[in-house]
Amino acid sequence: MTVADQTPGEPRKMRTSVKGPLVFSAFFAVLAFVAVLIFASGGSAKAPRFDLAFTGAGIAFIVSLVVAAMLSMSYKENAEHLGKGSGVNLSSKRPQGRPGSPDSPDTPETDDGGH
């Protein structure tokens, strides 16, 4: 679904909404703020460094917002035929009726069972 396919008045899906990347980025900004506030002060006897904490939170917010926006823009729906199960046979056993399988009528009988 593209932005052009949406109807006005209906809520957007999480994939096309702005709320998802903003919440994602805000979480990492808060995490960076707390981490920098704790580790940049150099111990509990010194004053906390709020200037570095706000700088780290701002950088983390912007970088994670850009990454989330790039990932959401590169999202593409899979083609319908990919979900039908007509892909690769992942079983190591050969399906019955295929040429070369032991149950196939065109495979000659051998003493070692066709191996």
Side-chain angles (χ1 to χ4, degrees):
M1 171 180 271
T2 62
V3 177
D5 295 335
Q6 295 188 3
T7 57
E10 290 184 13
R12 292 183 174 195
K13 293 183 179 179
M14 192 65 150
R15 179 69 63 188
T16 57
S17 174
V18 179
K19 190 186 304 183
L22 282 176
V23 170
F24 178 78
S25 298
F27 169 75
F28 281 111
V30 170
L31 188 69
F33 180 84
V34 171
V36 171
L37 187 64
I38 290 171
F39 295 116
S41 62
S44 60
K46 298 181 181 177
R49 297 287 311 260
F50 285 104
D51 57 339
L52 291 177
F54 281 117
T55 303
I59 290 171
F61 180 78
I62 291 170
V63 168
S64 61
L65 186 64
V66 167
V67 168
M70 294 296 284
L71 288 174
S72 67
M73 285 189 331
S74 67
Y75 174 76
K76 181 181 174 185
E77 291 283 338
N78 285 339
E80 281 296 319
H81 72 279
L82 293 177
K84 299 293 184 196
S86 61
V88 178
N89 183 10
L90 297 178
S91 175
S92 60
K93 180 182 175 183
R94 291 186 181 174
Q96 294 182 358
R98 293 271 177 115
S101 68
D103 298 337
S104 174
D106 62 344
T107 305
E109 291 293 326
T110 59
D111 294 338
D112 62 354
H115 296 268

